Amino acid sequence: MNFRGAIAGSLLTLTIVPAAHAQTPSPQPVNGRAAAAQPAQGDQSFSGPSFRKGLWRFIRTLDVVKSANRNFKYRVVNAETTRCVDPTFAMKATFSPDPVGSCVSDKPEKVGNQYTFGHRCDYMGAVSTVITVRSDEAYTELNEVSTGEHPRTDTVVATRIGDCDDGGVANTAKSAAARLQQ
């Protein structure tokens, strides 16, 4: 596959994958502020971080290495999305021990506020992932693929920016714009 084909494939995948954050929310702890230290309710096998449901801003960047000496990166995606979600639900998929084809993910190691996967099965292939939890309202996810013809780094910076309107997801863009203007 040539470089442009690899980029096009990555871009197509990135336009589809972020929808995972918009799936049905999981139950929310009574005290949302304490949620970051607790596993999600009702799912004893989930040992990852929990976040407050609400209006979230996701800033995603994808950098691809093109040169043979691996010191020159191209930023092929720099996208921002705002929507009403429960990021804990998406984290359950990230922390899932289920194999993807023949790929089996390592269990994450937790040190302080970071969850590190030495090897995790992802839409990009086998990746190294570090999720840094800043609070129950903010986290950063860094995914690195160092193998193959074009190594790449996918970064997501997620921040909760408020509550969702009663109108639901349809009003997400309008409410986000209104909050930003205030």
Side-chain angles (χ1 to χ4, degrees):
M1 176 183 284
N2 65 23
F3 181 70
R4 286 187 178 149
I7 300 303
S10 295
L11 291 174
L12 179 60
T13 303
L14 285 173
T15 59
I16 296 168
V17 172
H21 291 287
Q23 296 180 9
T24 308
S26 63
Q28 190 65 28
V30 176
N31 179 356
R33 298 267 179 229
Q38 301 172 359
Q41 293 177 348
D43 189 353
Q44 300 302 324
S45 64
F46 179 65
S47 61
S50 295
F51 300 97
R52 292 182 63 201
K53 181 171 95 174
L55 185 63
W56 283 74
R57 176 181 298 129
F58 299 93
I59 300 172
R60 168 170 264 147
T61 58
L62 176 63
D63 296 326
V64 177
V65 176
K66 184 177 179 189
S67 66
N69 61 10
R70 298 185 179 219
N71 64 358
F72 189 74
K73 292 184 179 184
Y74 283 102
R75 172 129 320 148
V76 294
V77 174
N78 192 9
E80 183 175 328
T81 303
T82 303
R83 61 182 172 260
C84 287
V85 295
D86 181 355
T88 303
F89 188 79
M91 284 291 164
K92 287 181 183 181
T94 300
F95 281 74
S96 173
D98 298 334
V100 177
S102 62
C103 181
V104 179
S105 297
D106 293 341
K107 290 186 178 188
E109 294 182 23
K110 183 176 188 290
V111 177
N113 66 336
Q114 288 190 330
Y115 295 83
T116 303
F117 296 82
H119 173 87
R120 187 177 68 79
C121 304
D122 189 77
Y123 70 93
M124 295 192 313
V127 300
S128 169
T129 299
V130 177
I131 298 171
T132 304
V133 178
R134 296 191 319 254
S135 71
D136 64 344
E137 295 186 340
Y139 69 90
T140 301
E141 180 175 337
L142 174 66
N143 297 293
E144 294 181 309
V145 177
S146 57
T147 60
E149 192 175 327
H150 301 289
R152 54 206 172 275
T153 302
D154 179 35
T155 305
V156 177
V157 177
T159 308
R160 186 179 186 277
I161 58 175
D163 294 327
C164 295
D165 292 338
D166 290 337
V169 177
N171 293 330
T172 301
K174 290 179 185 175
S175 62
R179 284 185 178 87
L180 292 174
Q181 291 175 354
Q182 293 177 351

